Amino acid sequence: MRDDEIFPEDARRAAGYQLRKVQRGDDPDDWKPFDDVGAGTKETRIKDLSTQRYKDMMLTRNKK
C-alpha cells in the first residue's frame, strides 16, 4: 500500500497547513497536548474531505 493511499492528498495538504501554522508559532486549529510522547508534543486532528479522520503529532520547541 502506498503512503498516499493511507493518507490522502487533501488530508496531507491539511496537515501541511497545520504544520506551517506551528512553524510560525501559532497553534493548530484542532489539537491537544500529548506529553506522553514528549513535552511540547501536539496531537493535531485532521479531517479530510471524505470525513475520514487522521491524527498527526508534532513536537515543537520554542526558541527563546
Side-chain angles (χ1 to χ4, degrees):
M1 187 174 284
R2 296 180 356 205
D3 288 345
D4 61 345
E5 294 171 349
I6 298 169
F7 205 57
E9 183 178 347
D10 55 335
R12 283 185 283 142
R13 190 177 309 267
Y17 175 75
Q18 298 305 315
L19 175 60
R20 184 67 184 128
K21 288 183 78 168
V22 171
Q23 289 172 331
R24 287 192 319 248
D26 300 327
D27 284 330
D29 293 333
D30 185 8
W31 71 279
K32 70 177 183 176
F34 201 72
D35 293 332
D36 292 345
V37 173
T41 304
K42 295 181 178 185
E43 177 186 64
T44 305
R45 293 173 285 257
I46 306 294
K47 187 175 178 184
D48 75 359
L49 297 176
S50 66
T51 69
Q52 295 292 322
R53 295 180 185 180
Y54 302 92
K55 292 184 179 180
D56 183 35
M57 294 189 195
M58 302 176 197
L59 177 60
T60 60
R61 294 189 183 158
N62 296 328
K63 294 182 180 180
K64 293 187 179 193

